[in-house]
Amino acid sequence: MAPPEGRAQPTAFVIAMMLAFAAVAVLGVMLRPLLPIDETRYIDVAREMRLEGSWVLPLKNFELYTDKPPLLFWLINLVWTAVGAVSGFAGRLVGPFFALVTLAGTWALGRRLWDNATGATAAILLAGLSVFAAYGGATMFDTLLSTATLAGLWALISALGAPGVNRWAWGGFGLALAFGVLAKGPVILFHLAPALLAAPLWADPLCRPVGRDIAKGAGLALGVAMAVVALWVVPAAITGGAEYRRMILWEQTAGRTVQSFAHARPFWWLLAMLPFALFPWVWSPSFWRGVAKLRLTDRALRLMLMQAGAGLFLFSFISGKQVHYLLPELPAFALIAARAFLASGTAAAPGRWSHLPVIVLLALAGIAPLALAVRVGDAQTAALLHPLWGPIGFALFCLLLAALVWRLPQLFGLGLSGLGLVLGFVGLIASTGLGPAYDSAPIARQMAAHQAQGLATVTGRYNSEFGFEGRLTEKVQVLTAEAAPAWLAAHPGGLLVAKCRDVPTLDKAAAEVRFFYGHDWCLWPGR
C-alpha cells in the first residue's frame, strides 16, 4: 500500500523521545511516594512473598491474596534478587521497563503493518500521550498487559497471514495469552479476542487460513495458554485450599465479570474521559484533518480501529471503570494517529495557531494549581498546594511547554508537551504538600516501632498501605470500631492506626497525621 504523504521521523529522535519517556518515569519513581492504595499494596505483596518464601501464593497482610495473579510480584522479586536488596526504587522500575517495551513494540508493529515512518511516528505519539506517560511509570499491571497485547497481535497477524495452521504463530499467540493471564488475569481476552473474532474484517481473504484451520489454530493457542498458566494455577489451587481455589477459579474470573455489569459508573464514562486521556493529540486540528483523509480500504487500519474500539466498547460495560484499563489499546490509537498525522502532511511543520487548543489547555493546567493555592477552592486543598513556589514553578513550566508547542514542529512540540505535563505534575507533588498527603512512610515508621507488641486498624479492608514502607513483619489485625478499646487494653505497647472518623468511641490521639490519602489518621498506643 502507498504510504501517506509526510516525512519519516529520524530514528535518533524516536530513540531520544523514548529516553525522555524513561527519564520522566524514573524521575517520577524518585520524586513521588508510592501511591496508595494500588502501588503500596502491590509492592508489599511482592515483599511478603519474598519474606515468607511463598512463591506460588501471593500474600497481602500475611494472608492469601486472590485479587491478582503473581507475574508482577515475581518480576519485582527478580529485580530485587538482581540488585541484592529489597529496594523500593528498583522494584518500581518494572512498570516503566514494560512501558518502554510497549513503545518499542508499537514502533515494530507499525513498521510491519505499514512502514518505518508510521512505526516511528506512532512511538513518538505514544510516548507523548500524557495518560500513557503517567501510568507507564506506575507499579501496576497495565504496562505488562500492554506488552502481552502487542505480542498477541503480532502473533495473530502472522497466524492469519498464510494458509494452513502456522503452529509457531498460533503457539506464540497462546504464549501471549498466558503472559496476559499471569499479568492480570483473563481480562487479556478483552484485548485480544476481538481481533481474532473480527479476522474477516481485516485479514486478507486471499492469504488467511480457512475457518477450520483458524479453529484448529485457536484451539492450539488456547491449549498452549492453559498449559503455561497451569504451571502456576495447579500448584496454587492445591496448596491454597478450597477457598483459594474458589476465588481464583471463579470469583476473580467469571464471578467478577458477572458482577461487574452493575454500572457503578455510567456506560458513557470512558467515552467522556477520552478528550483528557488522549491529550494532546486529539486536541490538534492536524490530527482531525488527517483522520478525514484515511480510508477503510486499508486492512491494517481496520485492525487498529477494531482493536481500539472494541476495547473501549467492552470496558464500557464493566462496572468499575478506570482510564488505565485502556492502556493496552493505546498503541492501536497511536498507530491510527500516526497514519492521520502523516496523511495531513504537516507533522514536521510548526503548529502555530492550529495548536491553539493545546496551548490554551496547557495554560489552564498551569493556572489551576496556583488558583487553588490562593484559596479559590477550599482551605484544605490550598494547604496541600503550599509552599507557593511549587504552583508558581508549575505554572511557568506549563508556559514553557506552550512555547514548545508554538515553536517546534508539530510532533516534537506536542509530544514534549504531553510528556512534560506529567513531569510537571511530578514536580508539583514533590514540591508541595501533595507528596506528604500520599506518603505512607510517616505512619508506617511508627507502626514498625510497635509491631512486636501488636498492630491493628479499623477499616472495611486493609490494603497493606503501610507494610512496605514500615517493612512490617507482623500481621495488622483488622477490628471493628466497637472492639478497638478492648484491643488497646489487651495490647500495652501496641498501636491502633485508623482514620480518626472510623473510631468515634475513642478521643483523637495525640499522634495524628493530617490528611493522608484524603483523611485525618489517628495513632492510639495500647494502654
Side-chain angles (χ1 to χ4, degrees):
M1 67 189 68
E5 54 182 305
R7 292 188 296 177
Q9 303 306 314
T11 299
F13 178 74
V14 185
I15 294 174
M17 193 70 177
M18 293 173 66
L19 290 175
F21 176 92
V24 170
V26 172
L27 283 171
V29 171
M30 294 171 61
L31 296 177
R32 65 169 177 79
L34 284 162
L35 297 179
I37 57 177
D38 288 334
E39 287 192 308
T40 50
R41 172 176 51 195
Y42 299 146
I43 200 164
D44 193 55
V45 170
R47 183 191 66 91
E48 290 186 21
M49 290 174 69
R50 187 180 192 87
L51 193 64
E52 298 294 310
S54 179
W55 301 114
V56 172
L57 300 174
L59 302 174
K60 187 194 76 172
N61 195 28
F62 300 98
E63 294 181 339
L64 294 181
Y65 177 59
T66 61
D67 286 7
K68 293 293 187 292
L71 182 58
L72 175 64
F73 315 130
W74 287 342
L75 292 170
I76 292 173
N77 272 290
L78 181 63
V79 171
W80 286 340
T81 299
V83 301
V86 176
S87 161
F89 174 78
R92 293 170 67 185
L93 295 180
V94 172
F97 171 79
F98 279 95
L100 285 171
V101 173
T102 299
L103 288 173
T106 301
W107 186 358
L109 186 61
R111 187 168 59 243
R112 179 177 184 179
L113 291 176
W114 289 284
D115 48 44
N116 188 63
T118 300
T121 303
I124 294 169
L125 293 172
L126 186 58
L129 197 61
S130 291
V131 70
F132 186 79
Y135 285 107
T139 301
M140 299 175 74
F141 305 91
D142 302 284
T143 55
L144 278 71
L145 203 61
S146 300
T147 299
T149 300
L150 279 173
L153 287 174
W154 187 280
L156 190 60
I157 291 166
S158 298
L160 298 179
V165 180
N166 185 334
R167 289 181 173 81
W168 287 105
W170 284 111
F173 187 66
L175 289 176
L177 288 174
F179 185 91
V181 170
L182 290 173
K184 202 176 180 180
V187 70
I188 184 63
L189 294 174
F190 272 36
H191 301 291
L192 286 177
L196 173 60
L197 296 175
L201 298 178
W202 60 269
D204 189 341
L206 299 178
C207 298
R208 72 169 183 260
V210 297
R212 183 174 57 185
D213 289 337
I214 293 177
K216 288 180 180 178
L220 172 62
L222 186 61
V224 169
M226 293 178 66
V228 173
V229 173
L231 296 175
W232 167 68
V233 166
V234 171
I238 292 173
T239 57
E243 179 63 14
Y244 189 77
R245 286 194 293 274
R246 184 183 71 83
M247 291 298 293
I248 66 170
L249 298 177
W250 173 255
E251 289 296 334
Q252 297 301 329
T253 53
R256 173 173 280 194
T257 302
V258 170
Q259 293 173 2
S260 66
F261 284 81
H263 289 285
R265 281 175 171 161
F267 177 85
W268 47 262
W269 186 83
L270 283 173
L271 187 62
M273 293 298 295
L274 286 184
F276 306 98
L278 301 181
F279 177 87
W281 306 113
V282 297
W283 293 88
S284 167
S286 297
F287 168 77
W288 296 106
R289 286 197 297 269
V291 167
K293 295 183 179 181
L294 299 180
R295 296 293 179 264
L296 291 179
T297 52
D298 185 343
R299 293 183 178 276
L301 182 64
R302 288 187 216 167
L303 171 60
M304 293 299 104
L305 286 169
M306 182 278 308
Q307 178 69 20
L312 175 64
F313 179 77
L314 291 173
F315 279 100
S316 292
F317 282 104
I318 300 300
S319 173
K321 299 176 182 65
Q322 297 286 359
V323 171
H324 61 82
Y325 292 173
L326 296 180
L327 236 66
E329 274 64 59
L330 293 184
F333 165 77
L335 287 163
I336 296 168
R339 297 299 287 175
F341 273 104
L342 290 172
S344 73
T346 59
R352 298 293 192 268
W353 294 106
S354 66
H355 290 313
L356 190 60
V358 175
I359 293 171
V360 170
L361 286 172
L362 287 170
L364 291 174
I367 292 170
L370 186 57
L372 292 172
V374 295
R375 299 200 176 187
V376 172
D378 61 278
Q380 181 66 69
T381 302
L384 291 177
L385 289 167
H386 277 68
L388 272 178
W389 65 266
I392 292 172
F394 179 73
L396 294 174
F397 186 69
C398 286
L399 289 177
L400 172 63
L401 296 178
L404 291 177
V405 174
W406 177 265
R407 295 293 302 174
L408 293 179
Q410 289 194 37
L411 292 187
F412 298 6
L414 289 173
L416 290 177
S417 72
L419 191 58
L421 191 61
V422 174
L423 178 61
F425 275 114
V426 168
L428 186 66
I429 291 171
S431 61
T432 64
L434 290 172
Y438 289 92
D439 189 359
S440 64
I443 296 177
R445 284 193 292 265
Q446 296 193 55
M447 293 175 71
H450 290 263
Q451 64 178 324
Q453 288 75 39
L455 298 172
T457 187
V458 175
T459 180
R461 186 184 187 192
Y462 175 59
N463 284 291
S464 290
E465 293 95 329
F466 311 109
F468 183 79
E469 293 291 5
R471 302 298 194 270
L472 302 184
T473 57
E474 301 294 333
K475 179 181 177 180
V476 177
Q477 301 295 320
V478 180
L479 311 174
T480 62
E482 294 74 18
W487 186 90
L488 287 171
H491 293 81
L495 191 68
L496 172 66
V497 177
K499 299 169 188 174
C500 299
R501 69 176 190 181
D502 287 346
V503 197
T505 55
L506 296 175
D507 293 332
K508 280 198 173 184
E512 183 180 347
V513 176
R514 300 298 306 278
F515 211 69
F516 165 67
Y517 195 47
H519 300 277
D520 294 337
W521 289 68
C522 286
L523 289 74
W524 291 276
R527 294 185 291 272

